[in-house]
Every structure is written in structure tokens, then in C-alpha cells.
Amino acid sequence: MHVIHIGSELAPIAKVGGLGDVLHGLSKELVRQGHHVEIILPKYDVIDYSHLRSLKVHYRDLWSFDGPHRYNNTIWSAEVDGLNVLLIEPHHPDCFFSRGTVYGCRDDIDRFLYFSRTAMEFLFKSGRKPDVLHVHDWPAAIVPVLYRDMYIPLGFVTKKTVLTLHNLEHQGRCSPHNLTRIGLHGEHYLDKTLLQDPASPQLINLLKGGIVYADKLTTVSPQYQQEIQTPEGGHGLDAVLHQEQLKLQGILNGIDEDFWNPETDPHLVARYSTYPPYLEEPFAKILHAKEKNKAHVRKHLRMTENKKPLVACITRLVQQKGPHLIAHALERTLERGGQFALLGSALDPEIHAFFTALQEKHSNNPDVSILLDYNEALAHQIFAGADLLVIPSIFEPCGLTQMIALRYGTIPLVRKTGGLADTIADSQNGFVFETPDQKGVNSAVDRALALWKNQPAEWQKIMKTGMAQDFSWKQAALEYATLYKALKT
Ligand code: ADP
């Protein structure tokens, strides 16, 4: 089957969060299962070019449209970790993808609308006839609309379109004028049954457009599929999602087990195998390697070397991740005799200030490290060295860090929501709490640290259960392939 992904992120060349990991992991597994996969992405200036092989011009002089103007684009092809990637470079005066960032520009809507239109123009002009166009989140959500209303009439053929909802928080709200700029009649779409935003009737909602127009919708976990159809989880789109529920399917993400593999991880000072049957390698060896990694992390973070459990949190620091609950978990861990290492990237100035204050408060405490940064190598080392990984999300479409933690023999402590609820069972492979408040956090942290201290054999049983689980992309890719096959022209 020929699958073309259109999206805004791809690990490891342009990764902001889990979306980049999904595009990479799913595509790699689909290729392994014999499918032909291409990934279309903007040619950002921030791409990590060291991961690109065979970069060359694939298509020159591709004209695309912005209002009354036509602009030229170059399409580059390259290989990323064996994957075929097509990069769109617009020669547009607004230099859409030379901004030193993937997201966060005032004209993000125009940047990604232009990208989507140009991607469709390229597919049409280059004569591709994919079986499936698979698009991701709001940045590419206009593609199914363009396909049906503009490119089918032009004669472009694909069997069907699929939209994956990675996170409903960001929806791409804009004025009808933004649509008009890429050649759609904006005012026409300001209709309840089309792209009109449910809360602001004067606005277009791009994600809603994808939801209404795509042939199939997937969420990144089964639990999130249910949650988004409720007012609490739907971010205003619950009614339309409920109405489209027959198109909706939850498929749990996997993790890239080549990238997240403690046996080969180049960032670790001591490597260890947790692959089943893990008992072949005496469990003591795993514990020993984890201790070495823990010592390295402590030294690197200037934390005291002692007999306390190392509790960690690796996250984007945004409201979704429960920043106040993370801070509370830190305090509770210290009260209960643990150490806490936080590696968090905070773009929001308020959240950044909140954690800077926490950093100052604990600046002389050798049991605490708060690093406000995005650091891939350190993340790997912490996954390997920590005892417990705290994930107190307010909502979590899937979440990858709990699965990575399990793979590295680190026990996750999670709030019961979305993919966290699908993957972690209390006292079996982790610790779970329900209410997103301090009481909830306390209940789980207290239980976890008491078990660590008083019942090491029970603790290790939980570690082993997690390490034996399969969170590879294999199952998810099979489910996507089945879903693709079921789509009829
Ligand atoms: P989200 O996509 O909402 O950020 P996920 O759990 O799905 O959350 O994916 C997060 C990914 O980003 C994981 O691979 C995690 O290791 C990585 N990550 C998050 N924050 C950091 C950080 N500060 N430094 C390094 N890696 C991080």
C-alpha cells in the first residue's frame, strides 16, 4: 500500500513532542511491514540536517498559491533513518519556514495552510496516486477539505483520507480570509456543518474541517477516543466528534524500540537488556546498570549520591502536564525521603517563572535538580537512572514517557487519563491516581515510596511486569494497515 503522511513534525529531524515520534515510529513499522511510505514536511531551517541522507532536489518550479499571487517552491527528497521524506521549500517573501522554530509564529495559520496547499499541489502535479493520505493534527487538517473540494474536481485520485488527532487542544482557529488566501472560498465554509467554530461563529476551525471531511479519524489511544466525545475532554469539538463517532477509532501509539532501547542507547553509561525473556540476563545485572546510570545522572545534575529513591519527571511544561501537580510531587517526594529530578521545557513565560521560583527555593538542596531545558541525551539518562517517573497530566492523548519508562525499568506514576489509563494499571506496572489534585498525588507518591523502601521484592515485581510488556509499533501499525485497507474508493 502507498501511504503518504502530511504533517508538521518528524523525529529526529524536526521534533517538538510526541507527534514527531509517532510519524517516525509508525512510518518505520509500516515500511517494515512492506508498505510504501512517504512523509511530506516543511523544509524548516531548524531541521537537524545531520540526520538527512541523499538530500536532493526532487521537483523544481512547483507553483503554489497565496491570494492573487503565485509562488515558486522547491521540493527536496531525502532519507531519514531509511524513510522517504519530501521537504517543501517555499520561495515566498514571508520565508514561512525560516523562522528558527517549528511553531510559535504569529502567522502559524498561514504558514501551515500554505504548506498544506502546496503539498496537495505537489501530489497532484507529480502524478502520485497514493492509496491513503494520512494527515496529522490541525497543521495539516485542511488537506481532506482541499482534497475533496479542490483536487478531486481537478482529477487527483487517492483512495481515502485519514486524520489522526494527536491533541485536541490546538485547533487552528482563523478567519475565513485565511482560507481564501489558499484558494478556498472562506465564507462558504463558515457554516455549522462545515468549518465554523462551535464557540466563535465568525471563525473557521481547521481541525473541525479535518474531522468533518476526512474519511476516517483516529485518536492516539482508545481512552482518548472516548474522552474527546465529552464536554470535559472535547475542547469544544465534542459534539462534532460525537456526531462523527462512526469514523472514529482509537489506536494506541507505540514507541520506537530501536531508539528507546537501553541495550543499545548511546547516551547511557551502562547499557542493559530489558527485552523479554529478561530473566535470561540476571535481574541483578539490570539493577546494577541502573545504579550506574543513576550515579551518572546525580553527578551530572550535582545531586547527592545517597540511598534515596530517584524520582523524575521529563516533560514539556504546559498546563496539560499539570505543572502545579509536578511541583507538588516534588515537595511530597522530598517529605517522604526521596530525591527529585525535573527536566522540563517551558515556553510559557508564566510557567517558566513558576519553575524558576521553585528552582531558587531548592537551590541549596542537593536532593533536587530542576533543569528548564530540552535535552535529549539527558532524558535518556534519566529514563535509565530513575526509580520512578511522575506523569500527573490533566489530560494525555496517549503519552510516550510512561512507555519509555517501562522499557527502561523505571516505574511510572500517572494520573488516570487518556493513554496513561490505557497503559498503566495500578500496582501492576505502575502507580495510578485519579483526581488531579494534591491529595491524588500524595496517595500515589506515598504508596510508591513506601513500597520502594519496605518491599523491594514487590517493587521489583512491578519493574519486571513493565519490562516484559510490548509497546513496540508493531501492533499499532497492523491496526493502521487494517484501517487503511478497509477504506474503499
Ligand atoms: P507530548 O507530545 O505531549 O510532549 P509525549 O509523552 O507524547 O508528550 O512525548 C514527549 C516526548 O518528548 C518524549 O519522547 C519525551 O522523552 C520527550 N521530552 C519531553 N520533554 C523533554 C525535555 N524537556 N527534554 C528532552 N525530551 C523531552
Side-chain angles (χ1 to χ4, degrees):
M1 219 170 343
H2 183 190
V3 182
I4 297 186
H5 288 284
I6 304 179
S8 50
E9 294 182 39
L10 177 68
I13 62 168
K15 166 177 156 174
V16 178
L19 168 58
D21 287 318
V22 172
L23 245 83
H24 178 256
L26 172 61
S27 302
K28 251 177 81 173
E29 186 57 37
L30 285 171
V31 169
R32 212 172 273 154
Q33 293 178 10
H35 302 291
H36 174 203
V37 179
E38 292 179 297
I39 303 163
I40 304 187
L41 196 73
K43 190 167 182 285
Y44 302 108
D45 57 348
V46 286
I47 279 179
D48 183 348
Y49 282 88
S50 66
H51 292 283
L52 296 184
R53 299 275 165 275
S54 319
L55 178 67
K56 53 179 180 287
V57 171
H58 176 78
Y59 196 108
R60 231 183 259 285
D61 296 331
L62 179 86
W63 291 95
S64 185
F65 307 89
D66 180 5
H69 309 289
R70 284 187 346 138
Y71 294 107
N72 204 342
N73 302 267
T74 303
I75 314 299
W76 297 77
S77 66
E79 251 185 50
V80 175
D81 200 10
L83 295 171
N84 295 322
V85 176
L86 295 157
L87 302 164
I88 294 184
E89 179 188 22
H91 304 292
H92 186 288
D94 288 346
C95 304
F96 283 137
F97 302 115
S98 305
R99 308 284 185 84
T101 182
V102 172
Y103 309 116
C105 304
R106 275 175 40 189
D107 58 350
D108 273 359
I109 296 279
D110 289 321
R111 294 168 73 222
F112 290 106
L113 280 175
Y114 182 86
F115 163 69
S116 300
R117 172 76 207 262
T118 308
M120 286 306 290
E121 190 66 15
F122 163 66
L123 294 178
F124 176 52
K125 289 275 168 61
S126 65
R128 278 174 169 69
K129 294 186 172 56
D131 294 301
V132 184
L133 269 186
H134 189 161
V135 304
H136 300 267
D137 272 356
W138 79 264
I142 199 67
V143 164
V145 183
L146 285 167
Y147 170 63
R148 211 193 298 163
D149 286 357
M150 190 183 279
Y151 284 90
I152 288 184
L154 286 171
F156 177 68
V157 186
T158 178
K159 286 218 181 80
K160 292 280 160 160
T161 53
V162 178
L163 166 68
T164 293
L165 303 164
H166 297 257
N167 192 331
L168 242 66
E169 193 178 13
H170 308 286
Q171 300 180 2
R173 291 187 186 85
C174 58
S175 117
H177 173 70
N178 296 91
L179 285 192
T180 305
R181 273 183 73 168
I182 59 159
L184 293 167
H185 181 41
E187 292 294 333
H188 164 77
Y189 292 94
L190 216 47
D191 180 298
K192 223 161 74 183
T193 62
L194 300 175
L195 276 68
Q196 187 175 48
D197 186 69
S200 310
Q202 75 286 10
L203 293 183
I204 290 289
N205 184 315
L206 298 178
L207 194 64
K208 182 185 167 195
I211 290 168
V212 173
Y213 274 74
D215 297 301
K216 196 84 193 170
L217 305 168
T218 68
T219 58
V220 288
S221 71
Q223 179 71 22
Y224 195 54
Q225 175 195 348
Q226 302 306 327
E227 288 174 2
I228 59 175
Q229 294 180 54
T230 67
E232 299 76 40
H235 296 270
L237 292 180
D238 39 296
V240 67
L241 282 160
H242 190 65
Q243 172 197 310
E244 302 288 347
Q245 61 176 307
L246 292 180
K247 297 198 310 201
L248 196 53
Q249 182 176 341
I251 300 179
L252 187 72
N253 282 341
I255 55 169
D256 181 342
E257 293 209 320
D258 294 333
F259 189 66
W260 297 109
N261 182 356
E263 201 176 0
T264 54
D265 193 326
H267 302 297
L268 306 191
V269 289
R271 301 193 179 93
Y272 53 102
S273 167
T274 54
Y275 262 126
Y278 54 86
L279 288 178
E280 262 179 26
E281 174 156 13
F283 189 63
K285 262 194 180 172
I286 295 176
L287 294 180
H288 185 64
K290 280 188 70 70
E291 281 305 315
K292 278 194 171 167
N293 286 304
K294 186 191 285 182
H296 178 78
V297 167
R298 281 174 166 154
K299 202 165 154 207
H300 185 78
L301 297 177
R302 299 210 180 87
M303 297 171 83
T304 314
E305 179 66 47
N306 55 25
K307 291 264 174 279
K308 296 179 176 179
L310 180 60
V311 180
C313 181
I314 301 168
T315 188
R316 289 184 299 126
L317 288 167
V318 290
Q319 286 306 341
Q320 175 198 335
K321 306 289 179 182
H324 288 83
L325 299 182
I326 293 171
H328 182 72
L330 181 148
E331 303 289 3
R332 191 70 173 188
T333 297
L334 299 180
E335 281 166 29
R336 298 286 141 154
Q339 291 187 318
F340 202 99
L342 167 62
L343 173 61
S345 37
L347 284 181
D348 180 296
E350 240 174 71
I351 296 182
H352 195 278
F354 174 75
F355 281 98
T356 309
L358 196 68
Q359 217 172 20
E360 274 159 25
K361 179 178 169 197
H362 290 287
S363 59
N364 292 321
N365 189 340
D367 283 331
V368 178
S369 167
I370 299 174
L371 202 64
L372 300 181
D373 191 14
Y374 187 95
N375 185 327
E376 188 77 54
L378 185 59
H380 287 241
Q381 289 158 7
I382 296 176
F383 279 122
D387 294 292
L388 191 69
L389 191 86
V390 173
I391 317 168
S393 303
I394 305 302
F395 72 94
E396 194 61 78
C398 178
L400 300 176
T401 54
Q402 80 278 18
M403 297 191 259
I404 300 169
L406 292 173
R407 183 97 169 81
Y408 280 66
T410 298
I411 298 181
L413 184 157
V414 309
R415 175 165 177 257
K416 189 172 181 180
T417 180
L420 297 171
D422 282 325
T423 48
I424 307 301
D426 191 58
S427 300
Q428 290 176 40
N429 63 352
F431 297 93
V432 181
F433 67 95
E434 288 203 23
T435 52
D437 54 22
Q438 297 193 351
K439 236 170 105 185
V441 171
N442 291 350
S443 72
V445 170
D446 293 1
R447 281 189 297 122
L449 296 189
L451 197 77
W452 184 88
K453 195 167 161 205
N454 304 322
Q455 292 174 274
E458 284 303 306
W459 180 271
Q460 289 171 12
K461 201 168 128 193
I462 296 179
M463 277 174 78
K464 287 176 187 170
T465 305
M467 288 190 288
Q469 285 180 287
D470 178 5
F471 286 112
S472 67
W473 270 102
K474 212 164 158 188
Q475 182 56 31
L478 284 171
E479 285 181 48
Y480 275 106
T482 307
L483 176 149
Y484 295 153
K485 271 184 208 136
L487 297 169
K488 303 247 163 39
T489 323

